Amino acid sequence: MTTFEVSSPVPTFAPRRKTAVIIGSGIGGLSLGIRLQSLGFDTTILERLDAPGGRAYQRRTDGYVFDMGPTVITVPQFIEELFALERDRAHLDAPDFPGGASGGHGPFPRTREYVELVPISPFYRIYFADGTFFDYDGIPESTRAQIEALAPEDLQGYADFQRDAGAIFERGFLELGYTHFGDMATMLKAVPDLLKLDAVRTLFSFTSKYFKNPKMQQVFSFETLLIGGNPLSVPAIYAMIHFVEKTWGIHYAMGGTGALVRAFVQKFEELGGVIQFGAGVEEIVTEKVGRRTLAKGVRLEGGGELSADIVVSNGDWANTYLKRVPKKARRVNNDARVKLAPQSMSLLVIYFGFRDDPARPLDLRHHNIILGPRYEELLREIFGQKVLSKDFSQYLHVPTLTDPALAPAGHHAAYTLIPVPHNASGIDWRVQGPKLVNRVMEFLDERGYIPNLPGRLTHLDYVTPDYFEQTLDSYQGNAFGPEPVLAQSAFFRPHNRSEDVAGLYLVGAGAQPGAGTPSVMMSAKMTARLIAEDFGIHPSIVR
């Protein structure tokens, strides 16, 4: 019998996994980090702050918990999709909207493993200057009843608006929502339909076709302010926001939006991702290879470099290029183009805690829109003239009406957000900030929204456009990225795949499709698809 000498097995080597660096841990960056791990990348997220979230940073002080930024959560199926992802299994070719407008209502079993989402109703209570209010809950019967009480002449207009805005929602969101307009041809294919739907005129002009009463014109146009858009100048395609909310509702993450952010961090780390805090990026390292400029990694503010196959910025679009990409590498996103791009308005946000008064319970809702006496004029002053107005409108958020754990027992945590010009205005917020804060707090007390507020106040802090410019590194202190006007929409909005540097991508409010919590999660999926395409990764399953 012949015997053979058996040698040790020949070692095998798995191919090197691709590496990615994401600059910033906002909701867009975290969503993309989860997706890149599912695509087979080894991903590191670098965050210059001491905790995750970016604009969705959460602050704890004096026993209170304050979400610093976004508080409105809609399209929960986007969140469920992220929590259902597995390492090296991307499923990027799954339907974006399973069931269309009738799908996505839950239950969401994977989300419940990480965070509890609860529906909010009404979505918003909208107060008018004369003391009347409108509870918008997305229920057509309720909406019609309130229109009949406040503006009966607009009942037929509401029916017509539902028909036409619904058509915009079907085409603009359900069909085109995930389209990356990376070339002019892609956009031109969509233009005829959008013209036919009258979706390119301004939103306020569009709503004014259907509603003659100023109150209804405001109710059905104000929502773009929550994503940095002026209703007087954003295109009417944003009428779809009404239908996005009506279709999927408004939700709240118990523990605040910060709880959702922490859940995304947990999921990202479970998939093998790494996140570093206090890790600001000074420069995106590039290399010229032939005629192409390639992203090779990043140089950190504290020194040292981190190499990667791809770099993604979840930071401010303008400052990504102006501060972090070498000027010689920027032919499309050059200084002139970036600096000329109109930025969204900024915000003054007041975070405050106060004692409950059982004798005078709050007659507020979770989300409250308090409109001032002027609407169009105020918007022109904020966005056009860039001056600090004599009056203001505000969004008052009182999450402890839903989640008492955010404040000490017997207390409420709240924040109120006031749209103001960004820092190209030249306003000295060290002087004007405290004055505006006092005016707003006096207004809430004297108008009876929170009676005897000065006597009940236990905590007060605020941020101005300087916070957005300095702490969040946002160009001109903008709060939402480039202003979503027609000339900065679709193909004309910053591209998720850099036109200047191969291997550099963008995600979040400054990229396509735009700002807002659902939009930045959509942005993450769009960018993930571009990366998969560039690396020849099959969109269904990656092993």
Side-chain angles (χ1 to χ4, degrees):
M1 182 175 180
T2 305
T3 59
F4 298 91
E5 182 179 349
V6 180
S7 62
S8 300
V10 176
T12 59
F13 298 94
R16 182 181 71 85
R17 292 172 64 89
K18 297 294 184 182
T19 56
V21 166
I22 298 176
I23 304 169
S25 67
I27 290 175
L30 290 169
S31 299
L32 182 59
I34 292 168
R35 290 195 176 279
L36 288 182
Q37 289 302 114
S38 77
L39 275 173
F41 282 78
D42 284 334
T43 310
T44 299
I45 296 177
L46 301 174
E47 172 55 61
R48 66 196 293 265
L49 301 180
D50 60 356
R55 284 176 169 83
Y57 187 93
Q58 191 175 71
R59 184 165 175 262
R60 297 170 181 267
T61 182
D62 293 344
Y64 294 99
V65 179
F66 297 106
D67 283 324
M68 300 286 285
T71 58
V72 177
I73 297 172
T74 188
V75 201
Q77 75 182 64
F78 290 173
I79 297 170
E80 176 73 5
E81 186 177 308
L82 288 166
F83 286 129
L85 289 173
E86 302 173 41
R87 186 172 173 86
D88 300 347
R89 296 177 66 88
H91 295 288
L92 282 173
D93 62 348
D96 292 323
F97 299 101
S102 62
H105 292 285
F108 301 108
R110 299 305 300 271
T111 298
R112 286 202 302 268
E113 296 174 13
Y114 294 88
V115 65
E116 180 184 2
L117 297 182
V118 297
I120 298 297
S121 186
F123 301 162
Y124 311 97
R125 171 166 283 185
I126 304 161
Y127 291 93
F128 304 105
D130 64 3
T132 59
F133 62 83
F134 188 102
D135 279 339
Y136 174 51
D137 57 13
I139 302 171
E141 296 77 12
S142 170
T143 303
R144 281 194 294 269
Q146 292 185 82
I147 293 174
E148 187 170 17
L150 290 172
E153 68 274 20
D154 282 335
L155 275 172
Q156 183 57 48
Y158 172 66
D160 295 340
F161 174 82
Q162 289 280 98
R163 179 195 64 224
D164 294 347
I168 291 175
F169 166 71
E170 290 281 344
R171 182 65 173 137
F173 192 78
L174 295 181
E175 296 177 22
L176 294 176
Y178 277 106
T179 301
H180 181 255
F181 294 95
D183 55 69
M184 184 67 75
T186 303
M187 187 185 75
L188 290 176
K189 290 178 184 176
V191 167
D193 283 348
L194 298 180
L195 289 172
K196 182 180 178 181
L197 294 169
D198 202 17
V200 296
R201 72 155 70 200
T202 68
L203 177 61
F204 190 75
S205 171
F206 181 82
T207 56
S208 296
K209 283 199 311 179
Y210 306 95
F211 304 103
K212 303 309 175 186
N213 187 296
K215 292 180 179 178
M216 296 304 105
Q217 293 171 351
Q218 295 167 27
V219 164
F220 292 97
S221 68
F222 82 89
E223 289 159 310
T224 56
L225 286 164
L226 299 179
I227 59 168
N230 178 359
L232 304 183
S233 58
V234 301
I237 194 169
Y238 284 98
M240 67 185 178
I241 295 176
H242 170 78
F243 268 82
V244 170
E245 295 176 341
K246 176 185 170 185
T247 300
W248 288 289
I250 295 294
H251 294 74
Y252 168 78
M254 296 300 287
T257 304
L260 177 61
V261 168
R262 290 190 295 275
F264 281 156
V265 171
Q266 179 185 343
K267 179 67 178 182
F268 173 66
E269 292 180 333
E270 287 175 357
L271 296 180
V274 174
I275 186 166
Q276 298 178 17
F277 300 109
V281 170
E282 180 179 296
E283 182 182 352
I284 295 170
V285 178
T286 62
E287 179 182 332
K288 190 80 170 177
V289 179
R291 294 185 176 183
R292 304 176 74 206
T293 300
L294 308 180
K296 305 298 290 184
V298 297
R299 181 172 297 112
L300 301 177
E301 290 176 352
E305 293 188 7
L306 185 61
S307 299
D309 294 299
I310 62 170
V311 176
V312 185
S313 176
N314 182 218
D316 180 76
W317 163 71
N319 277 343
T320 291
Y321 281 111
L322 293 176
K323 288 186 175 182
R324 292 176 179 83
V325 178
K327 184 178 293 190
K328 63 183 179 182
R330 296 188 280 111
R331 290 191 299 173
V332 175
N333 295 281
N334 54 64
D335 281 12
R337 185 245 169 142
V338 174
K339 291 179 179 180
L340 286 173
Q343 299 297 315
S344 67
M345 87 287 194
S346 194
L347 303 168
L348 181 138
V349 191
I350 307 169
Y351 308 90
F352 60 103
F354 59 97
R355 287 187 295 274
D356 196 9
D357 184 352
R360 288 187 288 183
L362 290 179
D363 187 21
L364 294 168
R365 298 298 179 265
H366 188 111
H367 299 295
N368 306 273
I369 307 296
I370 305 175
L371 296 169
R374 303 179 307 144
Y375 189 69
E376 297 169 69
E377 297 89 343
L378 178 61
L379 292 173
R380 291 189 182 99
E381 290 171 1
I382 294 170
F383 287 89
Q385 300 171 37
K386 294 181 176 56
V387 296
L388 198 56
S389 303
K390 61 184 179 182
D391 55 328
F392 47 81
S393 292
Q394 60 186 303
Y395 158 55
L396 175 61
H397 179 229
V398 193
T400 40
L401 293 172
T402 303
D403 191 357
L406 298 185
H411 292 70
H412 283 290
Y415 89 31
T416 195
L417 173 158
I418 299 91
V420 296
H422 59 58
N423 274 347
S425 65
I427 295 170
D428 186 344
W429 289 105
R430 294 169 299 179
V431 175
Q432 299 300 331
K435 294 180 181 178
L436 182 54
V437 168
N438 288 336
R439 288 168 55 202
V440 171
M441 300 303 279
E442 288 174 2
F443 174 91
L444 293 174
D445 172 36
E446 294 171 359
R447 297 297 179 93
Y449 292 102
I450 308 177
N452 189 30
L453 180 56
R456 300 161 65 182
L457 198 65
T458 59
H459 175 84
L460 187 144
D461 199 359
Y462 65 93
V463 299
T464 71
D466 292 343
Y467 165 80
F468 291 91
E469 182 167 17
Q470 297 164 12
T471 302
L472 297 182
D473 192 36
S474 184
Y475 183 64
Q476 295 178 338
N478 78 76
F480 301 93
E483 186 181 352
V485 294
L486 184 61
Q488 295 191 144
S489 299
F491 172 77
F492 301 109
R493 192 164 185 84
H495 293 189
N496 299 33
R497 177 199 281 133
S498 175
E499 309 96 310
D500 294 311
V501 180
L504 173 62
Y505 303 85
L506 275 71
V507 68
Q512 297 178 26
T517 303
S519 292
V520 300
M521 287 187 277
M522 295 172 76
S523 177
K525 191 171 186 178
M526 291 165 67
T527 301
R529 283 176 168 163
L530 294 174
I531 293 168
E533 176 184 313
D534 290 347
F535 281 82
I537 301 171
H538 191 279
S540 178
I541 298 178
V542 183
R543 290 192 181 276

